[in-house]
Each structure stands twice: as structure tokens, then as C-alpha cells.
Amino acid sequence: MTEPERLSLAEWLVLCLVREEPTYGLVLVGLLARDGRLGQVWSVPKAVVYRALQRLETLGLIRTVGEQRTSQGPVRSLYQATPAGDATARAWLSTPVEHPRDVRSGLMVKLALLDRSGIDSRDLLEAQLATLLPVATALDDRLRATTGFEHTLVLWRHEAMTATVRFLEALTAQSEVRAR
């Protein structure tokens, strides 16, 4: 695959879950349903899970490694990550989100997946802070230079960024305490 960054968040979730261990689409549907363990962070409809599996297989990031016939419904395919899929997922999991608005979606998904895998998230958290701190500084500067509704908008973004940075700092501190 030449452009893995073009995967949707749903496709990244499916790839990372298949990377954990060979699994069936139905298992992924349960995990990613609104009341599923990961669906509580980012839910993915059943049809989107199955489309993601097809696309990831077409891209060579996962492969079918077995089938299970059942008396109820179609044959179930067992999926496993390819070496390229494993490397792509690992790289994505260690990369901070670029935009503050993606903290709620992309970063939280990555943190949930890292926790599921028992992987320490401190490196990701520190990289995320390093990515967002310059943005926070720029918002501080813009806040002082704006008036009217532009000031209102920049104040909103500034406060949201301040809360995000506080959250990341608190989470990083907790991770450091747990690591001791």
C-alpha cells in the first residue's frame, strides 16, 4: 500500500484489531458497536466494518487465513494482518494526530488500542503534546490580537486547546506514575 494515511478512522480501527490476533468480522462488529468495548470510543456500523475488511484485504494489509461454515448465515472468514499491515498499524499507533479536533477521535482510539494491547502510551502522549504545544502558543498570540466575533472564536479554540493540553499532561503524569 502506498498511501496508508488515506485510511478512514474505521479502517484504522479494523486494521489494528485484526493486528492484535486473527479474528472474524462478526467479532469486530461486536467490539465496534455503540455498546462495544471500543464502540464506546468510536462506533463503526456493521456494513462499514465489512467494507473496511474488504478494502484492507485489497490493499494487502490483511488476508483471509481460514473460513468457518455455520448453519446460521454465510461462511465466516478469519482475518489476519500481513507483515505490511502490522508495520502500518504500529506506525499509525505511534503517530500523534495533527489537528486538535482529532484528539477526541483519533487520539482516543489510539490510546484505547494501545491499552488493549498492553503497550505503554507515554511516547505517543509526549509526541502529542509536542505537536499541540506550538498550536496552543499560536492561539495565545492570536487571542491577544483579535476583536469582535473573531475574538470569540479564537477564545473558544484557546479554551478547548487549554483543556486538551491539561488532559494530555495529566494523562502523561499518570502514565509516568504507573511505569514506576
Side-chain angles (χ1 to χ4, degrees), residues 4-143:
E5 64 278 358
R6 298 215 183 227
L7 295 181
S8 68
L9 186 55
E11 290 167 334
W12 282 117
L13 260 165
V14 169
L15 175 60
C16 290
L17 289 170
V18 171
R19 176 188 170 265
E20 288 179 3
E21 65 182 349
T23 192
Y24 296 97
L26 192 59
V27 172
L28 299 173
V29 167
L31 286 169
L32 297 171
R34 287 194 188 280
D35 60 347
R37 290 160 92 194
L38 285 167
Q40 294 175 25
V41 177
W42 194 261
S43 63
V44 180
K46 180 179 181 178
V48 175
V49 170
Y50 284 103
R51 275 196 307 268
L53 287 166
Q54 290 173 343
R55 180 157 188 260
L56 294 169
E57 192 163 30
T58 299
L59 293 170
L61 298 174
I62 66 172
R63 67 176 170 251
T64 303
V65 293
E67 291 183 337
Q68 179 185 37
R69 300 208 179 279
T70 67
S71 59
Q72 302 170 345
V75 173
R76 293 184 183 155
S77 297
L78 181 65
Y79 297 96
Q80 178 179 35
T82 63
D86 181 64
T88 299
R90 279 188 288 112
W92 180 76
L93 285 170
S94 66
T95 304
V97 298
E98 292 182 24
H99 198 281
R101 71 174 167 254
D102 295 327
V103 169
R104 165 60 186 94
S105 54
L107 181 64
M108 292 301 288
V109 162
K110 290 177 184 188
L111 293 173
L113 289 165
L114 290 170
D115 184 68
R116 276 179 59 86
S117 298
I119 299 171
D120 190 342
S121 61
R122 277 182 297 170
D123 289 343
L124 176 60
L125 290 168
E126 289 168 3
Q128 191 62 69
L129 273 168
T131 299
L132 293 181
L133 286 174
V135 177
T137 301
L139 282 170
D140 284 341
D141 295 343
R142 279 191 65 202
L143 189 59

Side-chain angles (χ1 to χ4, degrees), residues 139 142-161:
L139 282 170
R142 279 191 65 202
L143 189 59
R144 289 187 287 278
T146 58
T147 59
F149 181 74
E150 184 182 2
H151 181 78
T152 302
L153 185 58
V154 172
L155 179 60
W156 168 256
R157 290 178 178 155
H158 177 270
E159 292 300 317
M161 178 60 74

Side-chain angles (χ1 to χ4, degrees), residues 120-129 165-178:
D120 190 342
S121 61
R122 277 182 297 170
D123 289 343
L124 176 60
L125 290 168
E126 289 168 3
Q128 191 62 69
L129 273 168
V165 168
R166 264 196 330 263
F167 165 74
L168 291 170
E169 289 172 341
L171 204 51
T172 301
Q174 287 176 4
S175 293
E176 289 171 0
V177 168
R178 280 191 299 239

